[in-house]
Amino acid sequence: MTTAPQLSIPTQDERTMAMLVHVLAIFSSFIAPLVIYLVKKDSRFVSFHSLQVLIWHAAYAVMFGVAMIVMFIFMFSTIVSHPQGTPGQEPPFAFFGVFGAVWLLGLGGWALNVILGVVYAIKANQGEWARYPLIGNLVLNKIVPEQPVS
């Protein structure tokens, strides 16, 4: 006997709210998905899409925060280890290389946020239970419990 989640067909209101979760997350990060999740908690479809966006933005924020801490550690250690006022001495690559890597990480994450937001907003508006890579199945199993299939 196998199990499969019971997926309901969302109403037009649920599809619109799920679409708004993805679109507004592009501009407000986790704030709009959190508000919509708290307001529409009774809708499994909206909760499913809201939690996916919240988990994605939480992971992105943690990753970017760690990258910023590493960048500041490199910058301050570079400033401390190189004396001021030495003519002709340029800052080492670690100073600008780490800064550039963190900047590219932030820019790449922003582009990924826009792409995921647009793609999944379209899917949510079409009524699909579309899952984010890696976290979609986890959220789906939390929102929609598995039912035995006969």
Side-chain angles (χ1 to χ4, degrees), residues 22-80:
H22 294 286
V23 171
L24 293 175
I26 295 171
F27 304 106
S28 69
S29 184
F30 69 91
I31 296 170
L34 180 61
V35 169
I36 292 174
Y37 173 72
L38 293 174
V39 170
K40 299 294 265 182
K41 195 183 284 191
D42 57 329
S43 167
R44 287 183 175 176
F45 187 73
V46 177
S47 295
F48 169 69
H49 284 279
S50 298
L51 282 176
Q52 284 190 111
V53 175
L54 284 170
I55 291 171
W56 161 251
H57 280 283
Y60 174 69
V62 166
M63 185 174 58
F64 191 71
V66 168
M68 290 291 289
I69 290 170
V70 168
M71 179 187 74
F72 283 122
I73 289 171
F74 269 99
M75 289 176 80
F76 290 132
S77 66
T78 300
I79 290 169
V80 168

Side-chain angles (χ1 to χ4, degrees), residues 5-24:
Q6 202 68 302
L7 303 177
S8 61
I9 298 173
T11 65
Q12 182 60 43
D13 180 52
E14 290 175 326
R15 294 186 333 202
T16 302
M17 292 302 285
M19 178 191 66
L20 281 174
V21 165
H22 294 286
V23 171
L24 293 175

